[in-house]
């Protein structure tokens, strides 16, 4: 089972309601209000666990809820806060909104423990509402509602070196002999259904993390097979090692394979295809004329800047030279942690099903945007900040609101009003 993607439902805790009660004691005929506050609801946290490298657990348990806050009590007793829930994920896990596919959080870099959905605040008890003219308030504030969301978890492996190539070219075998990884190895296509990471320890040189990216196929960038699932793991590697079957055990042309895989990388993302890359001619132990094949590969690819390394993962010939070369290359390409920026705040997610409308107010000569979706968006967004205003602009675009304004005939300089906010429109 491929375990680098999972869909889950998460929900923070509801805030406890404030309590309405009055002091009742002997010899105190007119006791004042003593209703306690409700406790805060628990929050949903994501936390990186260095010991995890798959999302397997989330394929079986789909629903996660933090605890609700308890309601307030008599005698000014405050309700107990709900317990938080902490979801542990491998480093490199990206959390996306299921409805829009937008990135909400990337558990990489400094994001080691993040409060993702905040629990609702507890409501105030009636003790807070006593005034000189209202000494016996029979009102308390309810707790804030919980936040709930369906999200997609995607693991994008963090490794220094990524092994790429068609299925059954020997990537898993190579990983097993150069590192501490113990991948399952067999002579079948798609034996590797999840990336395997291993640590390469070097004598007299820096060690590094190497990942066996599951075998690709032609058309992977278009989603054929498990292509897109596999390709996402390549984004964070610093160097690509293209492993080819130099012996053509299955009748494939190794030169054509290099071009096919690189073409898939370019179609997926141009910057992925531009990563430093070397070619490993594997299975030379099964070749009748290994020198001739290596010479042919070098003639084809070294003028393009791709070094070719002859190797046999089975006999371990050429392994040491390759590993030290990779260590030297990594020194030239400093580690830069790739952290995907959020495309939407979690509070935005889940409000896209709410209604809204765009109209023209001829009397005031302004365009009006209103409805529950807009009201909630404004409540979640700090328009004073640059980041908040950027989210606001993306929201208008993604929801088709800008298009609707244009259909109504809006022109540069016209006024757009959203509840208490007014803006001048400029395309």
């Amino acid at each position: 089972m491929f375990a680098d993607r999972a869909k889950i439902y998460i929900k923070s805790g509801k805030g406890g309601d404030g309590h309405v009660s009055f002091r009742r004691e002997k010899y105190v005929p007119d006791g004042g209000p003593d209703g306690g506050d409700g406790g805060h609801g628990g929050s949903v946290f994501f936390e990186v666990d260095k010991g995890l490298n798959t999302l397997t657990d989330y394929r079986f348990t789909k629903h996660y809820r933090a605890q609700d806050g308890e309601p307030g009590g008599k005698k000014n007793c405050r309700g107990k806060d709900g317990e938080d829930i902490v979801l542990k994920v491998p480093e490199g896990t990206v959390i996306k909104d299921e409805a829009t596919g937008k990135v909400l959080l990337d558990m990489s870099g400094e994001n080691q423990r993040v409060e993702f959905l905040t629990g609702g605040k507890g409501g105030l008890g009636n003790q807070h509402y006593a005034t000189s003219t209202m000494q016996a308030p029979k009102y308390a504030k309810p707790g804030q509602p919980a936040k709930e969301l369906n999200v997609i978890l995607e693991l994008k492996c963090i490794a220094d070196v990524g092994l790429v190539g068609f299925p059954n070219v020997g990537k898993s075998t190579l990983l097993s002999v150069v590192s501490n990884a113990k991948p399952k190895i067999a002579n079948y296509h798609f034996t590797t259904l999840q990336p395997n990471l291993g640590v390469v320890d070097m004598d007299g040189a820096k060690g590094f993390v190497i990942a066996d990216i599951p075998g690709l196929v032609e058309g992977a960038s278009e989603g054929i097979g498990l292509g897109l699932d596999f390709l996402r793991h390549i984004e964070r590697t610093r160097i690509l090692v293209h492993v080819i079957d130099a012996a053509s055990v299955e009748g494939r042309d190794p030169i054509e394979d290099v071009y096919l895989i690189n073409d898939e990388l370019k179609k997926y993302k141009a910057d992925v295809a531009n990563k430093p890359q070397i070619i490993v001619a594997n299975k030379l132990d099964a070749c009748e004329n290994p020198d001739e094949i290596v010479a042919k590969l070098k003639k084809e690819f070294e003028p393009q800047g791709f070094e070719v390394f002859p190797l046999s993962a089975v006999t371990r010939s050429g392994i040491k030279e390759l590993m030290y070369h990779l260590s030297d290359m990594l020194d030239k390409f400093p580690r830069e942690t790739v952290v995907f920026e959020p495309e939407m705040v979690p509070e935005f997610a889940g409000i896209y099903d709410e209604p809204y409308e765009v109209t023209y107010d001829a009397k005031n000569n302004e365009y009006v945007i209103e409805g529950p979706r807009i009201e909630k968006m404004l409540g979640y967004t700090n328009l004073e900040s640059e980041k908040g205003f950027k989210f606001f602009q993306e929201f208008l675009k993604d929801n088709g609101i800008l298009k609707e304004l244009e259909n109504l005939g809006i022109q540069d300089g016209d006024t757009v009003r959203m509840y208490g906010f007014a803006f001048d429109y400029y395309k």
Side-chain angles (χ1 to χ4, degrees), residues 216-242:
L216 301 176
V217 295
E218 191 173 359
S221 60
E222 300 169 5
I224 294 177
L226 300 177
L228 290 177
D229 292 328
F230 295 162
L231 281 164
R232 75 167 58 93
H233 294 284
I234 301 175
E235 292 185 56
R236 288 181 169 165
T237 57
R238 296 157 64 191
I239 296 174
L240 297 180
V241 174
H242 195 135

Side-chain angles (χ1 to χ4, degrees), residues 16 31 46 84 86 109 128 141 149 173 184 198-199 212 215 230-231 260 265 269 338 348 364 375 380 392-393 401 413:
F46 279 101
D84 300 327
V86 180
H128 294 279
K141 193 172 184 179
L149 199 57
T173 302
K184 294 180 180 179
V199 178
D212 165 20
F230 295 162
L231 281 164
L260 287 173
L265 297 180
K269 279 190 178 178
V338 178
F348 274 15
N364 295 308
E375 192 172 11
Y380 291 141
F392 165 69
Q393 291 176 310
I401 295 173

Side-chain angles (χ1 to χ4, degrees), residues 46 48 89-96 103-112 114 116 154 156 158 236 337-342:
F46 279 101
V48 169
V89 295
E91 190 167 15
T93 300
V94 177
I95 296 99
K96 295 183 176 180
V103 174
L104 302 174
L105 176 65
D106 182 358
M107 296 302 293
S108 306
E110 296 180 356
N111 294 334
Q112 297 296 300
V114 178
F116 187 71
E154 286 187 353
K156 300 194 177 188
I158 298 178
R236 288 181 169 165
T337 301
V338 178
V339 180
F340 296 94
E341 288 295 321

Side-chain angles (χ1 to χ4, degrees), residues 14-19 36-39 69-73 79 122-125 140-144:
K14 175 189 176 298
D17 295 336
H19 188 69
D37 301 342
E70 293 184 356
L124 298 177
K141 193 172 184 179
Q144 289 183 346

Side-chain angles (χ1 to χ4, degrees), residues 247-268:
S248 300
V249 173
E250 297 188 350
R252 301 190 61 89
D253 181 348
I255 291 179
E256 183 183 359
D257 281 358
V258 174
Y259 286 118
L260 287 173
I261 291 296
N262 280 339
D263 188 48
E264 292 302 321
L265 297 180
K266 289 176 185 176
K267 289 178 181 177
Y268 177 64

Side-chain angles (χ1 to χ4, degrees), residues 166-185:
F166 277 90
N168 202 29
V169 295
K171 298 190 304 299
S172 296
T173 302
L174 176 59
L175 180 70
S176 69
V177 300
V178 303
S179 73
N180 57 356
K182 303 297 179 185
K184 294 180 180 179
I185 301 171

